């Protein structure tokens, strides 16, 4: 049983389900329906600011082809990757909105080499990790992209944040979520204790409305999601798992179907709703590609809160203690039985 299922049973009462029409993200947060045990004004305000940033970014993404924000800035980011204009626009939007109400002390972003201080007010109790626009290779070709975020509580008794506020295991997150800019814009959010909930953006009203209440991942799925173009770089055990999942064994539900968008938010979202497995294994001298703080940890927190698992293949993602702000890890997300299978291959048991 996961950490969250224990706690949820003890401390969270399901929301009143008598009427679900017209419940906005703001209402859901303000009425405490996310199940945060001590929902403070600061916390709800911070989550609402994230919702506002998501609206602003979605309006930029939706008009990207018209507003001269496609293409490259000519810069490279701290990861050595080419920065797209829309990456930069999303990053600036998030920093500016999170800086407004003084609840967010600092941000670590994929687009910034260093932590950015937003407030030194002692009342700024939280810090935020964010990948402002994930799936960069899909921006220019009109394929789904997303924003990933996580919220941590800042250490008490000091003015301003420092990197130690971020170098904590993912199980310390107090909220995590993502925004998927897909056929519609969807914001999925969890505080861990109260389950995982999705809100679809209605652009005609300008609000996110509750559309996916209490998402639970199936115990096992029927698709796998991995970049098979990298198979020559994988550990041998991953290659054996990959061959196994494609074997023709109808009675065991194999072969699984292959689905890979190349945007983590899109691939993880499909996996969360339909079950199955997403894997970005170690393929660079033991490292993966995805970043622990703002890609792996938020999704690990979401998947566990929805009854799924998140692993490096050998260790629980949420237990990893980060050594640096932009550290990369292998990331395996999915239905509990599917992640178990993967781990068994990695341990050499199959
Ligand atoms: P990005 O943060 O630069 O966009 O890179 C992260 C993306 C993820 O969205 C996706 O899962 C992965 O990179 C795809 O990588 P690859 O092209 O190697 O399959
Ligand atoms: Mg990214």
């Amino acid at each position: 049983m996961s950490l969250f299922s224990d706690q949820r049973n003890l401390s969270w009462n399901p929301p009143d389900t008598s009427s679900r029409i017209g419940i906005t993200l703001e209402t859901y947060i303000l009425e405490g329906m996310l199940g945060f045990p001590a929902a403070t004004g600061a916390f709800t305000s911070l989550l609402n600011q994230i919702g506002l940033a998501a609206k602003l970014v979605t309006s930029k993404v939706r008009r990207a082809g018209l507003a001269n924000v496609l293409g490259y800035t000519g810069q490279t980011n701290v990861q050595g990757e080419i920065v797209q204009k829309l990456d930069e626009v999303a990053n600036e939007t998030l920093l500016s909105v999170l800086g407004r109400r003084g609840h967010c002390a600092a941000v670590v972003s994929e687009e910034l080499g260093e932590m950015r201080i937003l407030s030194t007010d002692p009342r700024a109790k939280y810090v935020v990790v964010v990948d402002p626009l994930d799936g960069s290779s899909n921006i220019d070709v009109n394929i789904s992209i997303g924003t990933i975020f996580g919220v941590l509580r800042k250490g008490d008794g000091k003015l301003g944040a420092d990197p130690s506020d971020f170098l904590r295991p993912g199980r310390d997150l107090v909220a995590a979520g993502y925004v998927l800019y897909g056929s519609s814009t969807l914001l999925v959010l969890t505080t861990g204790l109260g389950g995982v909930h999705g809100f679809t953006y209605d652009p005609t009203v300008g609000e996110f409305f509750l559309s996916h209440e209490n998402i639970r991942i199936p115990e096992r799925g029927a698709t796998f999601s991995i970049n098979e173009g990298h198979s020559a770089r994988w550990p041998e055990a991953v290659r054996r798992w990959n061959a196994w999942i494609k074997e023709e064994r109808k009675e065991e539900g194999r072969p699984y179907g292959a689905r890979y968008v190349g945007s983590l938010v899109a691939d993880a979202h499909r996996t969360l709703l339909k079950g199955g497995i997403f894997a970005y294994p170690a393929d660079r001298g033991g490292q993966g590609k995805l970043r622990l703080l703002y890609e792996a940890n938020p999704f690990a927190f979401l998947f566990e809160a929805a009854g799924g698992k998140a692993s490096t293949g050998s260790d629980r993602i949420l237990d990893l203690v980060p050594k640096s702000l932009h550290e990369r890890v292998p990331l395996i997300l999915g239905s509990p039985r599917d992640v178990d299978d993967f781990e068994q291959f990695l341990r050499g048991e199959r």
Side-chain angles (χ1 to χ4, degrees):
M1 188 175 279
S2 78
L3 176 71
F4 299 125
S5 46
D6 281 347
Q7 291 177 344
R8 186 166 42 240
N9 289 342
L10 292 176
S11 62
W12 186 66
N13 295 316
D16 169 19
T17 52
S18 50
S19 169
R20 316 313 284 150
I21 299 169
I23 298 180
T24 63
L25 173 64
E26 195 179 4
T27 301
Y28 210 76
I29 293 169
L30 284 174
E31 295 188 3
M33 296 187 206
L34 284 170
F36 192 66
T40 60
F43 185 67
T44 54
S45 169
L46 180 67
L47 292 182
N48 276 316
Q49 287 300 92
I50 292 173
L52 172 61
K55 287 182 194 176
L56 294 172
V57 176
T58 201
S59 88
K60 303 276 194 314
V61 168
R62 296 300 177 206
R63 297 181 59 252
L66 303 170
N68 194 27
V69 287
L70 292 181
Y72 302 103
T73 59
Q75 316 269 307
T76 49
N77 69 11
V78 63
Q79 330 282 339
E81 296 156 347
I82 297 164
V83 177
Q84 306 241 7
K85 288 187 198 165
L86 212 49
D87 279 324
E88 201 170 84
V89 168
N91 189 49
E92 279 164 12
T93 303
L94 275 147
L95 290 175
S96 152
V97 172
L98 287 171
R100 283 306 307 165
R101 292 203 185 152
H103 303 307
C104 178
V107 170
V108 163
S109 162
E110 179 176 331
E111 298 304 328
L112 300 171
E114 308 289 332
M115 172 192 84
R116 171 77 57 90
I117 297 279
L118 294 185
S119 169
T120 50
D121 189 317
R123 286 168 297 181
K125 289 190 201 154
Y126 298 97
V127 297
V128 172
V129 290
V130 65
D131 182 349
L133 209 56
D134 183 65
S136 310
S137 67
N138 283 324
I139 293 177
D140 277 359
V141 287
N142 227 335
I143 293 175
S144 297
I145 48 180
T147 297
I148 310 167
F149 58 88
V151 180
L152 290 151
R153 210 188 287 276
K154 180 176 78 75
D156 285 338
K158 55 181 180 181
L159 294 183
D162 59 56
S164 71
D165 291 307
F166 293 92
L167 298 176
R168 286 155 47 202
R171 58 172 187 263
D172 288 355
L173 285 162
V174 291
Y178 59 87
V179 188
L180 172 63
Y181 311 103
S183 48
S184 53
T185 296
L186 182 71
L187 188 152
V188 176
L189 183 61
T190 187
T191 56
L193 305 172
V196 179
H197 311 287
F199 302 82
T200 300
Y201 187 60
D202 181 340
T204 61
V205 182
E207 291 285 0
F208 282 100
F209 288 101
L210 180 65
S211 54
H212 298 65
E213 192 165 29
N214 204 17
I215 296 169
R216 302 294 297 168
I217 188 168
E219 278 286 292
R220 185 178 277 289
T223 59
F224 72 102
S225 187
I226 192 167
N227 186 342
E228 293 200 76
H230 296 173
S231 61
R233 304 182 202 155
W234 295 340
E236 175 56 26
V238 176
R239 284 204 287 272
R240 277 190 289 107
W241 163 82
N242 184 236
W244 169 83
I245 210 155
K246 293 186 290 187
E247 271 173 11
E248 189 72 43
R249 289 277 190 286
K250 221 175 185 159
E251 63 291 356
E252 294 176 24
R254 288 178 288 135
Y256 276 33
R259 295 284 185 279
Y260 192 73
V261 177
S263 285
L264 175 61
V265 175
D267 285 316
H269 176 67
R270 183 196 56 251
T271 306
L272 188 66
L273 291 196
K274 299 201 168 174
I277 185 163
F278 167 86
Y280 207 112
D283 73 348
R284 315 172 164 213
Q287 277 189 329
K289 173 182 183 182
L290 301 172
R291 275 54 59 111
L292 176 58
L293 258 64
Y294 41 80
E295 292 177 324
N297 273 341
F299 273 112
F301 196 72
L302 284 151
F303 270 68
E304 287 206 10
K309 282 193 164 184
S311 163
T312 61
S314 53
D315 299 300
R316 181 182 180 228
I317 293 283
L318 292 181
D319 286 337
L320 301 177
V321 181
K323 290 181 229 30
S324 62
L325 298 179
H326 297 286
E327 182 174 340
R328 298 174 191 267
V329 285
L331 177 62
I332 320 302
L333 296 169
S335 294
R337 300 290 75 81
D338 289 310
V339 176
D340 287 347
D341 287 337
F342 188 97
E343 289 183 327
Q344 285 164 14
F345 275 92
L346 251 75
R347 286 197 298 266
E349 294 168 6
R350 304 167 67 161

